[in-house]
C-alpha cells in the first residue's frame, strides 16, 4: 500500500463514522466540541465537595445506626481470637484444624450449657436471698451513730430500705415487668448472636485472615501477614489471659467466702467478683467493695476479714498473677494501660474498657514495627 492510500484510509473511516453517527446518512456539522470542564471551577469544587460531605455524613449516620450490631461483631471477634490459642494448641498436638475447631466449639458450648443449668439457678436464689436480707442490713447500718446522723439529715437509709423492701426495685430499674422481659430477651438474643458469630469466626479464622492479607500488595503481603498474626496472637493471649485472671479471682473468692461464713451467698458473690475482675483498673475493686460491704452488714468480723483478704489478694493479682499471665500477650507501660482503659470506657462503656487494652497493645506494636523502624532507617 502506498503512503497516499494510508493517509486516505483514516479520512474515509472518519467520514463513514460521521455518517453513521448522524443516523440519516448525511454528515451534518454539529460544531466543534468545547474544552473539558475545569475541575478548578468554583461550581465543580462546590458541587463535588458538597456531594462528598453528604456521602461522608450518610456513612457516619449509617455506622451510628448499626453501632450496636458492629459492637456485637467486635466482641465476637475478640472472643474468637481468645479461643484461637486453644485451637492452635490442639493443632500442635497433632489434630487437624477442623477437628481442633470442633473440639473447642463443643467444649465452649458444654461450658455455657453447664453454667446455665447448674450455676444460674444458684445465683438467682442467692441474689433473691441478698434482696430479702438487705432491709436487715440497713437496720444494722442505722445502729452506727454517724450513719444515723446522716440518715436523720438526708433520709438516705430510709429511702434505700423502702426501695429495696418494696420488692419492685428490679422492675423499676428496667421499667416494669414488660421492661424486665424485654431486657432479658434482648440480653439472650445478643448472647446468642455473639456465640454464633464467635463460633463462625473461630471456624473460618484462617480463611478470614488469609482473605484480609490478600488485600495488601504482593510485595508487602508477607510482612503484613506476619504483623497481622502477631496482632491476632496478642489479642487472643489477652482475652484468654483475662479469663484466667478472672477465674482465679472467682475461685479464690468462692473458697474464702465458704471459709469465712458467707456460704449462703458465696456462688453469687464469687461470680460477681469474677465478672467484674474482667474490667480493667476498677473492676476488681468494685467487686471487693461489694463483697466487703455485705460482709460488714452480716458481721463486722466477717467484713474485716473480707477487707484484709481482698487487700492482700489485689497485691497478689497485680504483682504475681497478672504479670505472669499477660507478659506474653500485652507489653504496655502502666500509663498507656490507664489511658487506654479510660478512653475505651468513655467511648463504649464497659465493653470499650475491655477492648481498649489489647487494641492499644496492637497499635503500639504496629507503631514500633512500622513507624519507628522507618524512622530509624531514615
Amino acid at each position: 500500500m502506498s503512503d497516499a492510500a494510508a493517509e486516505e484510509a483514516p479520512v474515509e473511516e472518519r467520514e463513514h463514522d460521521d455518517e453513521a453517527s448522524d443516523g440519516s446518512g448525511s454528515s451534518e456539522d454539529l460544531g466543534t466540541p468545547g474544552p473539558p470542564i475545569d475541575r478548578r471551577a468554583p461550581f465543580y469544587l462546590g458541587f463535588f465537595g458538597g456531594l462528598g460531605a453528604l456521602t461522608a455524613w450518610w456513612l457516619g449516620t449509617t455506622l451510628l445506626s448499626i453501632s450496636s450490631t458492629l459492637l456485637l461483631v467486635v466482641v465476637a471477634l475478640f472472643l474468637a481470637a481468645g479461643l484461637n490459642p486453644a485451637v492452635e494448641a490442639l493443632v500442635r498436638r497433632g489434630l487437624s484444624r477442623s477437628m481442633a475447631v470442633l473440639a473447642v466449639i463443643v467444649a465452649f458450648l458444654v461450658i455455657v450449657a453447664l453454667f446455665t443449668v447448674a450455676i444460674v439457678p444458684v445465683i438467682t436464689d442467692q441474689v433473691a436471698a441478698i434482696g430479702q436480707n438487705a432491709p436487715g442490713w440497713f437496720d444494722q447500718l442505722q445502729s452506727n451513730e454517724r450513719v444515723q446522723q446522716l440518715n436523720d439529715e438526708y433520709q438516705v437509709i430510709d429511702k434505700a430500705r423502702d426501695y429495696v423492701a418494696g420488692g419492685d426495685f428490679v422492675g423499676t430499674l428496667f421499667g416494669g415487668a414488660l421492661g424486665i422481659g424485654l431486657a432479658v430477651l434482648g440480653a439472650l438474643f445478643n448472647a446468642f448472636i455473639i456465640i454464633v458469630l464467635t463460633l463462625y469466626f473461630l471456624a473460618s479464622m484462617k480463611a478470614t485472615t488469609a482473605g484480609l492479607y490478600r488485600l495488601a500488595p504482593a510485595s508487602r503481603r508477607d510482612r503484613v501477614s506476619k504483623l497481622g498474626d502477631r496482632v491476632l496472637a496478642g489479642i487472643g493471649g489477652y482475652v484468654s489471659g483475662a479469663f484466667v485472671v478472672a477465674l482465679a479471682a472467682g475461685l479464690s473468692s468462692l473458697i474464702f467466702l465458704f471459709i469465712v461464713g458467707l456460704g449462703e451467698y458465696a456462688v453469687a458473690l464469687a461470680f460477681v467478683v469474677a465478672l467484674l475482675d474482667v474490667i480493667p483498673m476498677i473492676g476488681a475493686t468494685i467487686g471487693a467493695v461489694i463483697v466487703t460491704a455485705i460482709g460488714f452488714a452480716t458481721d463486722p468480723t466477717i467484713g474485716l476479714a473480707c477487707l484484709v483478704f481482698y487487700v492482700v489478694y489485689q497485691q497478689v493479682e497485680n504483682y504475681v498473677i497478672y504479670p505472669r499471665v499477660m507478659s506474653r500477650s500485652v507489653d504496655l507501660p502502666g500509663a498507656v494501660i490507664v489511658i487506654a482503659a479510660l478512653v475505651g470506657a468513655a467511648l463504649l462503656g464497659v465493653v470499650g474498657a475491655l477492648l481498649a487494652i489489647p487494641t492499644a497493645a496492637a497499635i503500639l506494636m504496629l507503631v514500633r514495627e512500622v513507624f519507628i523502624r522507618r524512622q530509624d532507617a531514615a
Side-chain angles (χ1 to χ4, degrees), residues 233-265:
I235 293 175
Y238 173 80
V239 174
S240 57
F243 280 109
V244 170
V245 174
L247 183 62
L251 290 177
S252 60
S253 297
L254 181 66
I255 296 172
F256 168 76
L257 292 174
F258 273 112
I259 294 174
V260 82
L262 287 177
E264 184 181 0
Y265 321 116

Side-chain angles (χ1 to χ4, degrees), residues 182-201:
L182 293 177
V184 171
L185 288 177
L188 291 176
F189 178 76
N190 290 339
F192 175 75
I193 293 298
I194 289 175
I195 291 175
V196 171
L197 288 177
T198 299
L199 300 181
Y200 174 78
F201 289 141

Side-chain angles (χ1 to χ4, degrees), residues 315-333:
Q315 307 310 310
V316 174
E317 180 181 294
N318 293 336
Y319 296 103
V320 178
I321 300 176
Y322 193 90
R324 292 192 176 185
V325 172
M326 295 296 186
S327 60
R328 296 183 179 180
S329 57
V330 178
D331 183 16
L332 285 177

Side-chain angles (χ1 to χ4, degrees), residues 77-131:
L77 279 171
F78 272 77
L79 289 178
L83 293 174
N84 192 59
V87 174
E88 298 294 339
L90 293 177
V91 171
R92 288 193 298 269
R93 292 180 178 272
L95 287 180
S96 62
R97 174 78 186 182
S98 58
M99 292 302 297
V101 169
L102 180 61
V104 172
I105 288 176
V106 171
F108 178 74
L109 293 178
V110 168
I111 291 173
V112 172
L114 289 177
F115 175 80
T116 303
V117 173
I119 305 299
V120 170
V122 178
I123 293 176
T124 303
D125 295 339
Q126 293 188 0
V127 169
I130 292 174

Side-chain angles (χ1 to χ4, degrees), residues 91-341:
V91 171
R92 288 193 298 269
R93 292 180 178 272
L95 287 180
S96 62
R97 174 78 186 182
S98 58
M99 292 302 297
V101 169
L102 180 61
V104 172
I105 288 176
V106 171
F108 178 74
L109 293 178
V110 168
I111 291 173
V112 172
L114 289 177
F115 175 80
T116 303
V117 173
I119 305 299
V120 170
V122 178
I123 293 176
T124 303
D125 295 339
Q126 293 188 0
V127 169
I130 292 174
Q132 293 174 359
N133 294 330
W137 296 338
F138 287 126
D139 293 335
Q140 294 179 12
L141 285 176
Q142 280 187 304
S143 61
N144 184 282
E145 182 178 354
R146 179 58 181 167
V147 174
Q148 181 63 47
Q149 293 176 357
L150 293 174
N151 186 55
D152 292 339
E153 185 173 356
Y154 301 104
Q155 292 81 41
V156 177
I157 300 297
D158 293 337
K159 292 179 181 179
R161 182 178 55 234
D162 295 339
Y163 187 62
V164 175
D168 194 35
F169 64 97
V170 176
T172 305
L173 180 65
F174 291 100
L178 179 60
I180 294 176
L182 293 177
V184 171
L185 288 177
L188 291 176
F189 178 76
N190 290 339
F192 175 75
I193 293 298
I194 289 175
I195 291 175
V196 171
L197 288 177
T198 299
L199 300 181
Y200 174 78
F201 289 141
L202 183 62
S204 60
M205 183 70 69
K206 286 293 184 181
T208 302
T209 54
L212 292 176
Y213 295 156
R214 293 191 66 182
L215 298 177
S219 59
R220 300 184 179 181
R221 193 169 298 161
D222 180 64
R223 179 163 170 77
V224 170
S225 300
K226 292 179 179 179
L227 290 175
D229 290 341
R230 176 81 67 83
V231 170
L232 187 64
I235 293 175
Y238 173 80
V239 174
S240 57
F243 280 109
V244 170
V245 174
L247 183 62
L251 290 177
S252 60
S253 297
L254 181 66
I255 296 172
F256 168 76
L257 292 174
F258 273 112
I259 294 174
V260 82
L262 287 177
E264 184 181 0
Y265 321 116
V267 177
L269 293 179
F271 175 74
V272 170
V273 170
L275 186 64
L276 292 175
D277 198 76
V278 179
I279 304 174
M281 293 172 46
I282 61 172
T285 304
I286 295 175
V289 168
I290 292 174
V291 176
T292 303
I294 293 178
F296 272 111
T298 304
D299 189 331
T301 304
I302 295 178
L304 183 61
C306 292
L307 179 62
V308 173
F309 170 78
Y310 281 107
V311 168
V312 174
Y313 179 78
Q314 285 299 308
Q315 307 310 310
V316 174
E317 180 181 294
N318 293 336
Y319 296 103
V320 178
I321 300 176
Y322 193 90
R324 292 192 176 185
V325 172
M326 295 296 186
S327 60
R328 296 183 179 180
S329 57
V330 178
D331 183 16
L332 285 177
V336 176
I337 292 177
V338 174
I339 294 173

